């Protein structure tokens, strides 16, 4: 396998706590031999499991970035049995810009695994994470939220097709984190996801969808921080016995029928709120056309029964924009 061209300036095999950068080659007019610094923290305290924690896969999702930054500051090697590899801005160009995708190559990191060591910047990052970081890991976190365009009920996520032998372990981790909902996607939201990458490595991966709207909700942020620590405690990497017990989780399945998309470009007015229970055929809302005021609004409808777990955070929409998605009770 071709080695990554991204160079890490800390040694992940060394005991202790170290902060450094994975240097992504970036040659531009102002810097012929330049690089972009992807922050990486290693906290290694001896024998035990290695956990890879990712945030900033999408740069407009901030809850995980804050959680991992706090975790990196608060834990020392003496607190860890095993190793934590913390990457709070996984797609650094996207996270630096506060954009879902990289402004350099428009790359969506969670659609590009296993990546390409000779590809675009985002493809190089995907390749580095899978071959250099996941290759060391026994467990992977990939912390997400709805970003600027969506807003979620607080939920953990897992993909049914990503390593069925690991399904029990992933579900137990979802229960340990303790978000009110556990979303089981019947297939990966898109080819090239971190779920598929972890499955190729034979390790469990736990995701989250905690809020959104391009900001950090204090309640969801606390849930994320405490929940991540509970899972690390369950894995035996840190002591977490003092933390409050997780609340029961409602597991929901998510398939293609669960998504509602805009059928026209205009201004969307939703008819339901997060957490609402809806039936197939119910009106999800209407799209209005202020540019042509006498044009009647266009209604959109739900294609399945379920609970509204995600809503669009922006009123303006274009054809194909996701407006809602549901979870189906299992």
């Amino acid at each position: 396998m071709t080695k990554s061209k991204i160079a890490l300036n800390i040694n992940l095999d060394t005991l202790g706590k170290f902060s450094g950068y994975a240097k992504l080659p970036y040659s531009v007019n102002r810097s012929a031999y330049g690089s972009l610094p992807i922050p990486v923290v290693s906290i290694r305290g001896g024998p035990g499991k290695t956990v890879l924690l990712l945030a900033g896969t999408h740069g407009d999702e901030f809850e995980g970035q804050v959680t991992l930054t706090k975790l990196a500051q608060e834990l020392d090697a003496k607190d860890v049995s095993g190793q934590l590899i913390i990457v709070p801005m996984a797609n650094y160009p996207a996270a630096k810009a506060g954009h879902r995708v990289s402004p350099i190559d428009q790359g969506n990191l969670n659609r590009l695994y296993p990546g390409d060591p000779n590809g675009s910047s985002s493809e190089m990052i995907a390749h580095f994470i899978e071959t250099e970081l996941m290759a060391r890991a026994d467990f992977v976190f990939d912390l997400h939220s709805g970003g600027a365009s969506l807003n979620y009920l607080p939920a953990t996520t897992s993909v049914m097709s990503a390593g069925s032998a690991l399904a029990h372990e992933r579900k137990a981790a979802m229960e340990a984190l303790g978000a009110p909902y556990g979303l089981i996607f019947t297939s990966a939201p898109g080819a090239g996801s971190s779920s598929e990458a972890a499955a190729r490595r034979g390790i469990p991966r736990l995701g989250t969808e905690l809020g959104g709207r391009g900001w950090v909700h204090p309640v969801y942020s606390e849930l994320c921080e405490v929940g991540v620590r509970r899972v690390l405690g369950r894995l035996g990497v840190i002591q977490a016995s003092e933390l409050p017990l997780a609340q029961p989780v409602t597991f929901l399945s998510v398939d293609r029928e669960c998504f509602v998309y805009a059928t026209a470009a205009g201004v969307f007015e939703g008819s339901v709120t997060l957490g609402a229970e809806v039936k197939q055929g119910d009106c999800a809302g209407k799209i209005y056309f202020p540019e042509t005021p006498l044009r009647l609004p266009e209604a959109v409808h739900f294609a399945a029964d379920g609970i509204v777990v995600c809503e669009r955070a922006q009123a303006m929409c274009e054809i194909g924009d996701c407006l809602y998605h549901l979870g189906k009770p299992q």
Side-chain angles (χ1 to χ4, degrees), residues 58 64 83 98 108 136 138 140 147 194 203 273:
H58 298 132
Q83 184 176 21
N108 180 341
R136 293 172 168 269
D138 300 297
V140 176
S194 63
I203 54 178
T273 58

Side-chain angles (χ1 to χ4, degrees), residues 116-279:
D116 183 347
N118 299 307
S120 68
S121 60
S122 298
E123 290 172 327
M124 291 175 70
I125 294 170
H127 178 267
F128 171 75
I129 289 174
E130 181 165 344
T131 62
E132 301 290 335
L133 301 184
M134 279 194 191
R136 293 172 168 269
D138 300 297
F139 190 94
V140 176
F141 277 100
D142 192 1
L143 302 177
H144 289 260
S145 69
S149 68
L150 298 173
N151 186 39
Y152 270 89
L153 289 174
T156 49
T157 63
S158 183
V159 180
M160 186 184 301
S161 59
S164 58
L166 302 171
H168 175 75
E169 197 168 346
R170 294 198 306 268
K171 190 171 183 179
M174 295 168 84
E175 291 174 328
L177 192 139
Y181 293 94
L183 305 181
I184 310 294
F185 288 81
T186 56
S187 61
S193 70
S194 63
S195 295
E196 295 169 333
R200 278 191 291 272
R201 297 283 164 180
I203 54 178
R205 175 263 192 199
L206 177 63
T208 63
E209 293 290 359
L210 294 169
R213 297 189 182 276
W215 72 303
V216 179
H217 191 299
V219 174
Y220 296 176
S221 182
E222 181 180 4
L223 170 63
C224 189
E225 293 167 27
V226 174
V228 166
R229 284 175 174 267
R230 269 197 297 257
V231 177
L232 293 177
R234 181 181 179 277
L235 294 170
V237 178
I238 66 170
Q239 292 294 321
S241 57
E242 78 285 358
L243 296 176
L245 295 176
Q247 297 300 306
V249 178
T250 299
F251 287 96
L252 305 170
S253 62
V254 181
D255 58 28
R256 292 181 183 276
E257 292 182 342
C258 291
F259 292 84
V260 177
Y261 295 99
T263 54
V267 178
F268 178 67
E269 179 185 47
S271 297
V272 299
T273 58
L274 287 177
E277 295 186 18
V278 301
K279 298 292 186 182

